Amino acid sequence: MIYLDTERLLFRSHEAQDEDEFVKMHTDFEVRRFVGGRAWPLEEALRRFRNGYLGRPDKTYGLWATILKAENKYIGACGLNSPPNEPAPALGYYISRPCWGRGFASEASDAFLKDGFIRLGLEHVLADVEKGHAASEHILQKFGFKLVSEEVIPVSGRVISLYELTKDAWQKNRDCRTANGYMSSHSPARRPSQR
Protein backbone atom coordinates (compact mmCIF):
# COMPACT_ATOMS: atom_id res chain seq x y z
CA MET A 1 0.00 0.00 0.00
CA ILE A 2 1.36 3.43 -0.93
CA TYR A 3 0.71 5.90 1.87
CA LEU A 4 2.17 9.15 0.54
CA ASP A 5 5.07 10.57 -1.40
CA THR A 6 7.25 13.62 -1.92
CA GLU A 7 9.35 14.69 -4.88
CA ARG A 8 12.15 12.24 -4.02
CA LEU A 9 10.56 9.73 -1.63
CA LEU A 10 7.74 7.22 -1.66
CA PHE A 11 6.28 5.79 1.58
CA ARG A 12 4.60 2.39 1.32
CA SER A 13 4.10 -0.85 3.21
CA HIS A 14 7.21 -3.04 3.54
CA GLU A 15 7.55 -5.69 0.83
CA ALA A 16 9.65 -8.85 0.61
CA GLN A 17 12.08 -7.10 -1.76
CA ASP A 18 12.97 -4.65 1.05
CA GLU A 19 14.39 -7.35 3.32
CA ASP A 20 18.06 -7.17 2.25
CA GLU A 21 18.31 -3.38 2.60
CA PHE A 22 16.37 -3.43 5.88
CA VAL A 23 18.76 -6.03 7.28
CA LYS A 24 21.84 -4.10 6.09
CA MET A 25 20.52 -0.97 7.78
CA HIS A 26 19.71 -2.56 11.14
CA THR A 27 22.90 -4.64 11.32
CA ASP A 28 24.94 -1.43 10.83
CA PHE A 29 26.27 -0.23 14.20
CA GLU A 30 26.32 3.40 13.09
CA VAL A 31 22.61 3.32 12.21
CA ARG A 32 21.66 1.60 15.48
CA ARG A 33 24.13 3.44 17.74
CA PHE A 34 21.55 5.95 19.00
CA VAL A 35 18.59 3.57 19.01
CA GLY A 36 19.43 0.88 21.46
CA GLY A 37 23.17 1.21 21.28
CA ARG A 38 23.84 -1.94 19.30
CA ALA A 39 23.46 -3.33 15.82
CA TRP A 40 20.99 -6.16 15.55
CA PRO A 41 22.46 -9.59 14.88
CA LEU A 42 21.51 -10.94 11.44
CA GLU A 43 18.95 -13.41 12.82
CA GLU A 44 17.25 -10.70 14.88
CA ALA A 45 17.06 -8.31 11.91
CA LEU A 46 15.53 -11.03 9.72
CA ARG A 47 13.04 -12.03 12.42
CA ARG A 48 12.01 -8.43 13.10
CA PHE A 49 11.56 -7.70 9.41
CA ARG A 50 9.46 -10.81 8.77
CA ASN A 51 7.38 -10.60 11.95
CA GLY A 52 7.06 -6.87 12.51
CA TYR A 53 7.54 -5.00 9.24
CA LEU A 54 6.67 -7.18 6.24
CA GLY A 55 3.28 -6.07 4.90
CA ARG A 56 3.14 -3.25 7.42
CA PRO A 57 2.02 -0.69 8.06
CA ASP A 58 -1.33 -1.17 6.40
CA LYS A 59 -3.08 1.79 7.96
CA THR A 60 -2.13 5.31 8.98
CA TYR A 61 0.33 4.73 11.81
CA GLY A 62 3.67 2.95 11.68
CA LEU A 63 7.09 3.19 10.11
CA TRP A 64 6.60 3.09 6.34
CA ALA A 65 9.15 1.68 3.92
CA THR A 66 10.94 4.73 2.55
CA ILE A 67 11.82 4.38 -1.12
CA LEU A 68 14.17 6.63 -3.06
CA LYS A 69 12.11 7.09 -6.21
CA ALA A 70 14.99 7.84 -8.58
CA GLU A 71 16.54 4.43 -7.86
CA ASN A 72 13.43 2.55 -6.67
CA LYS A 73 15.52 1.61 -3.64
CA TYR A 74 14.62 1.02 0.00
CA ILE A 75 16.54 3.56 2.11
CA GLY A 76 14.82 3.34 5.47
CA ALA A 77 11.60 3.50 7.45
CA CYS A 78 9.79 6.66 8.50
CA GLY A 79 6.41 7.66 9.86
CA LEU A 80 4.19 8.42 12.80
CA ASN A 81 3.91 5.64 15.36
CA SER A 82 0.99 5.50 17.75
CA PRO A 83 2.28 3.41 20.65
CA PRO A 84 -0.20 2.24 23.28
CA ASN A 85 -0.33 4.35 26.46
CA GLU A 86 1.27 7.36 24.78
CA PRO A 87 -0.55 10.69 24.74
CA ALA A 88 0.17 11.36 21.05
CA PRO A 89 1.70 9.79 17.94
CA ALA A 90 5.50 9.89 17.70
CA LEU A 91 7.60 10.83 14.69
CA GLY A 92 10.27 8.28 13.83
CA TYR A 93 12.80 7.78 11.07
CA TYR A 94 15.63 5.40 10.20
CA ILE A 95 17.72 6.19 7.14
CA SER A 96 20.45 3.87 5.83
CA ARG A 97 23.95 5.24 6.28
CA PRO A 98 24.79 5.64 2.55
CA CYS A 99 21.87 8.09 2.38
CA TRP A 100 22.81 10.27 5.35
CA GLY A 101 23.43 13.96 4.75
CA ARG A 102 21.11 14.24 1.76
CA GLY A 103 18.08 15.68 3.56
CA PHE A 104 15.94 12.53 3.44
CA ALA A 105 15.12 12.48 7.18
CA SER A 106 14.08 16.15 7.00
CA GLU A 107 12.02 15.54 3.86
CA ALA A 108 10.28 12.56 5.48
CA SER A 109 9.70 14.48 8.71
CA ASP A 110 8.18 17.39 6.80
CA ALA A 111 5.86 15.01 4.93
CA PHE A 112 4.64 13.15 8.01
CA LEU A 113 4.24 16.28 10.14
CA LYS A 114 2.16 17.92 7.42
CA ASP A 115 0.07 14.76 7.04
CA GLY A 116 -0.39 14.49 10.81
CA PHE A 117 -1.34 18.08 11.48
CA ILE A 118 -3.36 18.81 8.34
CA ARG A 119 -4.98 15.58 7.17
CA LEU A 120 -5.17 13.69 10.48
CA GLY A 121 -5.96 16.78 12.57
CA LEU A 122 -3.44 15.97 15.30
CA GLU A 123 -2.89 18.61 17.98
CA HIS A 124 0.64 17.50 18.88
CA VAL A 125 3.33 15.01 17.92
CA LEU A 126 6.06 13.54 20.11
CA ALA A 127 9.57 12.35 19.25
CA ASP A 128 12.34 10.86 21.31
CA VAL A 129 16.03 10.83 20.62
CA GLU A 130 19.09 9.69 22.52
CA LYS A 131 20.83 12.72 23.97
CA GLY A 132 23.90 13.49 21.89
CA HIS A 133 22.43 12.36 18.58
CA ALA A 134 23.14 15.76 17.04
CA ALA A 135 21.66 15.05 13.58
CA SER A 136 18.28 13.96 14.95
CA GLU A 137 18.23 16.71 17.58
CA HIS A 138 18.89 19.24 14.80
CA ILE A 139 16.03 17.92 12.66
CA LEU A 140 13.56 18.06 15.54
CA GLN A 141 14.60 21.58 16.52
CA LYS A 142 14.45 22.72 12.89
CA PHE A 143 10.78 21.77 12.76
CA GLY A 144 10.02 23.48 16.08
CA PHE A 145 10.00 20.55 18.51
CA LYS A 146 10.65 21.54 22.13
CA LEU A 147 12.42 19.42 24.73
CA VAL A 148 9.92 18.40 27.43
CA SER A 149 11.79 15.81 29.52
CA GLU A 150 14.76 13.49 29.76
CA GLU A 151 14.92 9.96 31.10
CA VAL A 152 18.03 8.05 32.13
CA ILE A 153 17.94 4.34 31.26
CA PRO A 154 19.35 2.75 34.42
CA VAL A 155 21.05 -0.30 32.91
CA SER A 156 22.88 1.51 30.10
CA GLY A 157 23.07 5.08 31.42
CA ARG A 158 21.72 6.32 28.07
CA VAL A 159 19.66 9.51 28.25
CA ILE A 160 16.50 9.67 26.15
CA SER A 161 15.18 13.16 25.40
CA LEU A 162 11.45 13.53 24.78
CA TYR A 163 10.38 16.31 22.42
CA GLU A 164 6.94 17.66 21.59
CA LEU A 165 5.60 19.73 18.72
CA THR A 166 2.16 21.33 18.89
CA LYS A 167 0.13 22.09 15.79
CA ASP A 168 0.31 25.83 16.52
CA ALA A 169 4.10 25.78 16.96
CA TRP A 170 4.47 23.71 13.76
CA GLN A 171 2.37 26.17 11.77
CA LYS A 172 4.25 29.22 13.13
CA ASN A 173 7.60 27.54 12.41
CA ARG A 174 6.45 26.55 8.92
CA ASP A 175 5.23 30.10 8.18
CA CYS A 176 8.54 31.55 9.39
CA ARG A 177 10.63 29.07 7.39
CA THR A 178 8.55 29.78 4.27
CA ALA A 179 8.83 33.56 4.70
CA ASN A 180 12.60 33.30 5.13
CA GLY A 181 13.09 30.96 2.18
CA TYR A 182 14.14 27.98 4.30
CA MET A 183 11.54 25.51 3.14
CA SER A 184 12.80 22.44 1.38
CA SER A 185 12.99 22.73 -2.38
CA HIS A 186 11.30 19.33 -2.50
CA SER A 187 7.59 19.25 -3.09
CA PRO A 188 5.32 18.66 -0.10
CA ALA A 189 3.79 15.36 0.82
CA ARG A 190 0.80 14.27 -1.15
CA ARG A 191 -1.51 11.32 -0.92
CA PRO A 192 -1.28 8.98 -3.94
CA SER A 193 -4.79 10.04 -4.99
CA GLN A 194 -3.49 13.61 -5.39
CA ARG A 195 -1.18 12.74 -8.29
mmCIF file with all atom_site columns, all heavy atoms in Angstrom, residues 25-41:
data_model
loop_
_atom_site.group_PDB
_atom_site.id
_atom_site.type_symbol
_atom_site.label_atom_id
_atom_site.label_alt_id
_atom_site.label_comp_id
_atom_site.label_asym_id
_atom_site.label_entity_id
_atom_site.label_seq_id
_atom_site.pdbx_PDB_ins_code
_atom_site.Cartn_x
_atom_site.Cartn_y
_atom_site.Cartn_z
_atom_site.occupancy
_atom_site.B_iso_or_equiv
_atom_site.pdbx_formal_charge
_atom_site.auth_seq_id
_atom_site.auth_comp_id
_atom_site.auth_asym_id
_atom_site.auth_atom_id
_atom_site.pdbx_PDB_model_num
ATOM 1   N N   . MET A 1 25 ? 20.660 -2.188  6.978  1.00 0.00 ? 25 MET A N   1
ATOM 2   C CA  . MET A 1 25 ? 20.522 -0.974  7.780  1.00 0.00 ? 25 MET A CA  1
ATOM 3   C C   . MET A 1 25 ? 20.559 -1.296  9.274  1.00 0.00 ? 25 MET A C   1
ATOM 4   O O   . MET A 1 25 ? 21.279 -0.642  10.044 1.00 0.00 ? 25 MET A O   1
ATOM 5   C CB  . MET A 1 25 ? 19.213 -0.255  7.426  1.00 0.00 ? 25 MET A CB  1
ATOM 6   C CG  . MET A 1 25 ? 19.007 1.046   8.170  1.00 0.00 ? 25 MET A CG  1
ATOM 7   S SD  . MET A 1 25 ? 17.554 1.950   7.595  1.00 0.00 ? 25 MET A SD  1
ATOM 8   C CE  . MET A 1 25 ? 16.220 0.882   8.145  1.00 0.00 ? 25 MET A CE  1
ATOM 9   N N   . HIS A 1 26 ? 19.824 -2.282  9.705  1.00 0.00 ? 26 HIS A N   1
ATOM 10  C CA  . HIS A 1 26 ? 19.714 -2.563  11.138 1.00 0.00 ? 26 HIS A CA  1
ATOM 11  C C   . HIS A 1 26 ? 20.864 -3.398  11.691 1.00 0.00 ? 26 HIS A C   1
ATOM 12  O O   . HIS A 1 26 ? 20.999 -3.514  12.908 1.00 0.00 ? 26 HIS A O   1
ATOM 13  C CB  . HIS A 1 26 ? 18.361 -3.190  11.459 1.00 0.00 ? 26 HIS A CB  1
ATOM 14  C CG  . HIS A 1 26 ? 17.248 -2.189  11.400 1.00 0.00 ? 26 HIS A CG  1
ATOM 15  N ND1 . HIS A 1 26 ? 17.065 -1.226  12.358 1.00 0.00 ? 26 HIS A ND1 1
ATOM 16  C CD2 . HIS A 1 26 ? 16.283 -1.990  10.469 1.00 0.00 ? 26 HIS A CD2 1
ATOM 17  C CE1 . HIS A 1 26 ? 16.031 -0.474  12.041 1.00 0.00 ? 26 HIS A CE1 1
ATOM 18  N NE2 . HIS A 1 26 ? 15.533 -0.915  10.894 1.00 0.00 ? 26 HIS A NE2 1
ATOM 19  N N   . THR A 1 27 ? 21.697 -3.944  10.835 1.00 0.00 ? 27 THR A N   1
ATOM 20  C CA  . THR A 1 27 ? 22.901 -4.636  11.317 1.00 0.00 ? 27 THR A CA  1
ATOM 21  C C   . THR A 1 27 ? 24.115 -3.699  11.267 1.00 0.00 ? 27 THR A C   1
ATOM 22  O O   . THR A 1 27 ? 25.222 -4.101  11.593 1.00 0.00 ? 27 THR A O   1
ATOM 23  C CB  . THR A 1 27 ? 23.185 -5.922  10.506 1.00 0.00 ? 27 THR A CB  1
ATOM 24  O OG1 . THR A 1 27 ? 23.286 -5.600  9.118  1.00 0.00 ? 27 THR A OG1 1
ATOM 25  C CG2 . THR A 1 27 ? 22.096 -6.964  10.733 1.00 0.00 ? 27 THR A CG2 1
ATOM 26  N N   . ASP A 1 28 ? 23.895 -2.453  10.896 1.00 0.00 ? 28 ASP A N   1
ATOM 27  C CA  . ASP A 1 28 ? 24.937 -1.426  10.833 1.00 0.00 ? 28 ASP A CA  1
ATOM 28  C C   . ASP A 1 28 ? 25.010 -0.717  12.186 1.00 0.00 ? 28 ASP A C   1
ATOM 29  O O   . ASP A 1 28 ? 24.052 -0.045  12.593 1.00 0.00 ? 28 ASP A O   1
ATOM 30  C CB  . ASP A 1 28 ? 24.607 -0.432  9.721  1.00 0.00 ? 28 ASP A CB  1
ATOM 31  C CG  . ASP A 1 28 ? 25.649 0.661   9.540  1.00 0.00 ? 28 ASP A CG  1
ATOM 32  O OD1 . ASP A 1 28 ? 26.439 0.937   10.473 1.00 0.00 ? 28 ASP A OD1 1
ATOM 33  O OD2 . ASP A 1 28 ? 25.665 1.273   8.451  1.00 0.00 ? 28 ASP A OD2 1
ATOM 34  N N   . PHE A 1 29 ? 26.127 -0.843  12.874 1.00 0.00 ? 29 PHE A N   1
ATOM 35  C CA  . PHE A 1 29 ? 26.271 -0.234  14.195 1.00 0.00 ? 29 PHE A CA  1
ATOM 36  C C   . PHE A 1 29 ? 26.011 1.266   14.165 1.00 0.00 ? 29 PHE A C   1
ATOM 37  O O   . PHE A 1 29 ? 25.383 1.814   15.069 1.00 0.00 ? 29 PHE A O   1
ATOM 38  C CB  . PHE A 1 29 ? 27.669 -0.497  14.785 1.00 0.00 ? 29 PHE A CB  1
ATOM 39  C CG  . PHE A 1 29 ? 27.899 0.280   16.056 1.00 0.00 ? 29 PHE A CG  1
ATOM 40  C CD1 . PHE A 1 29 ? 27.333 -0.142  17.255 1.00 0.00 ? 29 PHE A CD1 1
ATOM 41  C CD2 . PHE A 1 29 ? 28.640 1.443   16.045 1.00 0.00 ? 29 PHE A CD2 1
ATOM 42  C CE1 . PHE A 1 29 ? 27.511 0.589   18.419 1.00 0.00 ? 29 PHE A CE1 1
ATOM 43  C CE2 . PHE A 1 29 ? 28.830 2.183   17.208 1.00 0.00 ? 29 PHE A CE2 1
ATOM 44  C CZ  . PHE A 1 29 ? 28.264 1.756   18.397 1.00 0.00 ? 29 PHE A CZ  1
ATOM 45  N N   . GLU A 1 30 ? 26.481 1.945   13.142 1.00 0.00 ? 30 GLU A N   1
ATOM 46  C CA  . GLU A 1 30 ? 26.317 3.405   13.094 1.00 0.00 ? 30 GLU A CA  1
ATOM 47  C C   . GLU A 1 30 ? 24.848 3.807   13.001 1.00 0.00 ? 30 GLU A C   1
ATOM 48  O O   . GLU A 1 30 ? 24.442 4.809   13.577 1.00 0.00 ? 30 GLU A O   1
ATOM 49  C CB  . GLU A 1 30 ? 27.110 4.008   11.935 1.00 0.00 ? 30 GLU A CB  1
ATOM 50  C CG  . GLU A 1 30 ? 28.598 4.009   12.172 1.00 0.00 ? 30 GLU A CG  1
ATOM 51  C CD  . GLU A 1 30 ? 29.007 4.798   13.413 1.00 0.00 ? 30 GLU A CD  1
ATOM 52  O OE1 . GLU A 1 30 ? 28.514 5.911   13.608 1.00 0.00 ? 30 GLU A OE1 1
ATOM 53  O OE2 . GLU A 1 30 ? 29.835 4.289   14.193 1.00 0.00 ? 30 GLU A OE2 1
ATOM 54  N N   . VAL A 1 31 ? 24.032 3.032   12.297 1.00 0.00 ? 31 VAL A N   1
ATOM 55  C CA  . VAL A 1 31 ? 22.606 3.322   12.210 1.00 0.00 ? 31 VAL A CA  1
ATOM 56  C C   . VAL A 1 31 ? 21.935 3.071   13.560 1.00 0.00 ? 31 VAL A C   1
ATOM 57  O O   . VAL A 1 31 ? 21.103 3.856   14.009 1.00 0.00 ? 31 VAL A O   1
ATOM 58  C CB  . VAL A 1 31 ? 21.928 2.481   11.105 1.00 0.00 ? 31 VAL A CB  1
ATOM 59  C CG1 . VAL A 1 31 ? 20.412 2.624   11.144 1.00 0.00 ? 31 VAL A CG1 1
ATOM 60  C CG2 . VAL A 1 31 ? 22.471 2.882   9.733  1.00 0.00 ? 31 VAL A CG2 1
ATOM 61  N N   . ARG A 1 32 ? 22.316 2.003   14.234 1.00 0.00 ? 32 ARG A N   1
ATOM 62  C CA  . ARG A 1 32 ? 21.664 1.596   15.483 1.00 0.00 ? 32 ARG A CA  1
ATOM 63  C C   . ARG A 1 32 ? 22.287 2.231   16.732 1.00 0.00 ? 32 ARG A C   1
ATOM 64  O O   . ARG A 1 32 ? 21.737 2.094   17.819 1.00 0.00 ? 32 ARG A O   1
ATOM 65  C CB  . ARG A 1 32 ? 21.723 0.071   15.621 1.00 0.00 ? 32 ARG A CB  1
ATOM 66  C CG  . ARG A 1 32 ? 21.034 -0.714  14.543 1.00 0.00 ? 32 ARG A CG  1
ATOM 67  C CD  . ARG A 1 32 ? 19.544 -0.684  14.584 1.00 0.00 ? 32 ARG A CD  1
ATOM 68  N NE  . ARG A 1 32 ? 19.036 -0.898  15.926 1.00 0.00 ? 32 ARG A NE  1
ATOM 69  C CZ  . ARG A 1 32 ? 17.794 -0.638  16.300 1.00 0.00 ? 32 ARG A CZ  1
ATOM 70  N NH1 . ARG A 1 32 ? 16.929 -0.146  15.450 1.00 0.00 ? 32 ARG A NH1 1
ATOM 71  N NH2 . ARG A 1 32 ? 17.401 -0.856  17.534 1.00 0.00 ? 32 ARG A NH2 1
ATOM 72  N N   . ARG A 1 33 ? 23.384 2.927   16.581 1.00 0.00 ? 33 ARG A N   1
ATOM 73  C CA  . ARG A 1 33 ? 24.128 3.445   17.738 1.00 0.00 ? 33 ARG A CA  1
ATOM 74  C C   . ARG A 1 33 ? 23.258 4.261   18.683 1.00 0.00 ? 33 ARG A C   1
ATOM 75  O O   . ARG A 1 33 ? 23.380 4.153   19.900 1.00 0.00 ? 33 ARG A O   1
ATOM 76  C CB  . ARG A 1 33 ? 25.305 4.291   17.255 1.00 0.00 ? 33 ARG A CB  1
ATOM 77  C CG  . ARG A 1 33 ? 26.128 4.895   18.368 1.00 0.00 ? 33 ARG A CG  1
ATOM 78  C CD  . ARG A 1 33 ? 27.424 5.454   17.875 1.00 0.00 ? 33 ARG A CD  1
ATOM 79  N NE  . ARG A 1 33 ? 27.278 6.284   16.702 1.00 0.00 ? 33 ARG A NE  1
ATOM 80  C CZ  . ARG A 1 33 ? 27.850 7.473   16.565 1.00 0.00 ? 33 ARG A CZ  1
ATOM 81  N NH1 . ARG A 1 33 ? 28.606 7.948   17.521 1.00 0.00 ? 33 ARG A NH1 1
ATOM 82  N NH2 . ARG A 1 33 ? 27.695 8.158   15.464 1.00 0.00 ? 33 ARG A NH2 1
ATOM 83  N N   . PHE A 1 34 ? 22.372 5.097   18.154 1.00 0.00 ? 34 PHE A N   1
ATOM 84  C CA  . PHE A 1 34 ? 21.551 5.952   18.995 1.00 0.00 ? 34 PHE A CA  1
ATOM 85  C C   . PHE A 1 34 ? 20.138 5.412   19.200 1.00 0.00 ? 34 PHE A C   1
ATOM 86  O O   . PHE A 1 34 ? 19.278 6.118   19.705 1.00 0.00 ? 34 PHE A O   1
ATOM 87  C CB  . PHE A 1 34 ? 21.494 7.368   18.415 1.00 0.00 ? 34 PHE A CB  1
ATOM 88  C CG  . PHE A 1 34 ? 22.807 8.099   18.536 1.00 0.00 ? 34 PHE A CG  1
ATOM 89  C CD1 . PHE A 1 34 ? 23.581 8.332   17.417 1.00 0.00 ? 34 PHE A CD1 1
ATOM 90  C CD2 . PHE A 1 34 ? 23.269 8.547   19.765 1.00 0.00 ? 34 PHE A CD2 1
ATOM 91  C CE1 . PHE A 1 34 ? 24.786 9.010   17.517 1.00 0.00 ? 34 PHE A CE1 1
ATOM 92  C CE2 . PHE A 1 34 ? 24.472 9.220   19.880 1.00 0.00 ? 34 PHE A CE2 1
ATOM 93  C CZ  . PHE A 1 34 ? 25.238 9.452   18.756 1.00 0.00 ? 34 PHE A CZ  1
ATOM 94  N N   . VAL A 1 35 ? 19.898 4.202   18.790 1.00 0.00 ? 35 VAL A N   1
ATOM 95  C CA  . VAL A 1 35 ? 18.587 3.574   19.009 1.00 0.00 ? 35 VAL A CA  1
ATOM 96  C C   . VAL A 1 35 ? 18.798 2.171   19.577 1.00 0.00 ? 35 VAL A C   1
ATOM 97  O O   . VAL A 1 35 ? 18.622 1.183   18.903 1.00 0.00 ? 35 VAL A O   1
ATOM 98  C CB  . VAL A 1 35 ? 17.726 3.537   17.721 1.00 0.00 ? 35 VAL A CB  1
ATOM 99  C CG1 . VAL A 1 35 ? 17.156 4.902   17.415 1.00 0.00 ? 35 VAL A CG1 1
ATOM 100 C CG2 . VAL A 1 35 ? 18.511 3.008   16.544 1.00 0.00 ? 35 VAL A CG2 1
ATOM 101 N N   . GLY A 1 36 ? 19.190 2.150   20.795 1.00 0.00 ? 36 GLY A N   1
ATOM 102 C CA  . GLY A 1 36 ? 19.429 0.875   21.456 1.00 0.00 ? 36 GLY A CA  1
ATOM 103 C C   . GLY A 1 36 ? 20.894 0.596   21.703 1.00 0.00 ? 36 GLY A C   1
ATOM 104 O O   . GLY A 1 36 ? 21.243 -0.282  22.486 1.00 0.00 ? 36 GLY A O   1
ATOM 105 N N   . GLY A 1 37 ? 21.754 1.312   21.009 1.00 0.00 ? 37 GLY A N   1
ATOM 106 C CA  . GLY A 1 37 ? 23.175 1.211   21.278 1.00 0.00 ? 37 GLY A CA  1
ATOM 107 C C   . GLY A 1 37 ? 23.890 0.017   20.678 1.00 0.00 ? 37 GLY A C   1
ATOM 108 O O   . GLY A 1 37 ? 25.069 -0.187  20.917 1.00 0.00 ? 37 GLY A O   1
ATOM 109 N N   . ARG A 1 38 ? 23.182 -0.781  19.899 1.00 0.00 ? 38 ARG A N   1
ATOM 110 C CA  . ARG A 1 38 ? 23.844 -1.942  19.303 1.00 0.00 ? 38 ARG A CA  1
ATOM 111 C C   . ARG A 1 38 ? 23.186 -2.287  17.971 1.00 0.00 ? 38 ARG A C   1
ATOM 112 O O   . ARG A 1 38 ? 21.994 -2.072  17.776 1.00 0.00 ? 38 ARG A O   1
ATOM 113 C CB  . ARG A 1 38 ? 23.768 -3.159  20.222 1.00 0.00 ? 38 ARG A CB  1
ATOM 114 C CG  . ARG A 1 38 ? 22.354 -3.677  20.408 1.00 0.00 ? 38 ARG A CG  1
ATOM 115 C CD  . ARG A 1 38 ? 22.287 -4.989  21.187 1.00 0.00 ? 38 ARG A CD  1
ATOM 116 N NE  . ARG A 1 38 ? 20.917 -5.453  21.306 1.00 0.00 ? 38 ARG A NE  1
ATOM 117 C CZ  . ARG A 1 38 ? 20.309 -6.220  20.421 1.00 0.00 ? 38 ARG A CZ  1
ATOM 118 N NH1 . ARG A 1 38 ? 20.926 -6.625  19.340 1.00 0.00 ? 38 ARG A NH1 1
ATOM 119 N NH2 . ARG A 1 38 ? 19.065 -6.611  20.608 1.00 0.00 ? 38 ARG A NH2 1
ATOM 120 N N   . ALA A 1 39 ? 23.998 -2.809  17.077 1.00 0.00 ? 39 ALA A N   1
ATOM 121 C CA  . ALA A 1 39 ? 23.457 -3.327  15.817 1.00 0.00 ? 39 ALA A CA  1
ATOM 122 C C   . ALA A 1 39 ? 22.719 -4.619  16.129 1.00 0.00 ? 39 ALA A C   1
ATOM 123 O O   . ALA A 1 39 ? 23.082 -5.355  17.049 1.00 0.00 ? 39 ALA A O   1
ATOM 124 C CB  . ALA A 1 39 ? 24.589 -3.589  14.841 1.00 0.00 ? 39 ALA A CB  1
ATOM 125 N N   . TRP A 1 40 ? 21.680 -4.896  15.376 1.00 0.00 ? 40 TRP A N   1
ATOM 126 C CA  . TRP A 1 40 ? 20.986 -6.157  15.549 1.00 0.00 ? 40 TRP A CA  1
ATOM 127 C C   . TRP A 1 40 ? 21.801 -7.272  14.908 1.00 0.00 ? 40 TRP A C   1
ATOM 128 O O   . TRP A 1 40 ? 22.344 -7.107  13.806 1.00 0.00 ? 40 TRP A O   1
ATOM 129 C CB  . TRP A 1 40 ? 19.626 -6.128  14.877 1.00 0.00 ? 40 TRP A CB  1
ATOM 130 C CG  . TRP A 1 40 ? 18.618 -5.216  15.513 1.00 0.00 ? 40 TRP A CG  1
ATOM 131 C CD1 . TRP A 1 40 ? 18.663 -4.640  16.753 1.00 0.00 ? 40 TRP A CD1 1
ATOM 132 C CD2 . TRP A 1 40 ? 17.400 -4.776  14.917 1.00 0.00 ? 40 TRP A CD2 1
ATOM 133 N NE1 . TRP A 1 40 ? 17.552 -3.879  16.960 1.00 0.00 ? 40 TRP A NE1 1
ATOM 134 C CE2 . TRP A 1 40 ? 16.756 -3.940  15.850 1.00 0.00 ? 40 TRP A CE2 1
ATOM 135 C CE3 . TRP A 1 40 ? 16.806 -4.999  13.686 1.00 0.00 ? 40 TRP A CE3 1
ATOM 136 C CZ2 . TRP A 1 40 ? 15.536 -3.336  15.599 1.00 0.00 ? 40 TRP A CZ2 1
ATOM 137 C CZ3 . TRP A 1 40 ? 15.581 -4.399  13.423 1.00 0.00 ? 40 TRP A CZ3 1
ATOM 138 C CH2 . TRP A 1 40 ? 14.951 -3.581  14.375 1.00 0.00 ? 40 TRP A CH2 1
ATOM 139 N N   . PRO A 1 41 ? 21.879 -8.433  15.559 1.00 0.00 ? 41 PRO A N   1
ATOM 140 C CA  . PRO A 1 41 ? 22.464 -9.594  14.879 1.00 0.00 ? 41 PRO A CA  1
ATOM 141 C C   . PRO A 1 41 ? 21.608 -9.949  13.657 1.00 0.00 ? 41 PRO A C   1
ATOM 142 O O   . PRO A 1 41 ? 20.414 -9.631  13.612 1.00 0.00 ? 41 PRO A O   1
ATOM 143 C CB  . PRO A 1 41 ? 22.391 -10.710 15.932 1.00 0.00 ? 41 PRO A CB  1
ATOM 144 C CG  . PRO A 1 41 ? 22.199 -10.008 17.241 1.00 0.00 ? 41 PRO A CG  1
ATOM 145 C CD  . PRO A 1 41 ? 21.473 -8.728  16.932 1.00 0.00 ? 41 PRO A CD  1
#
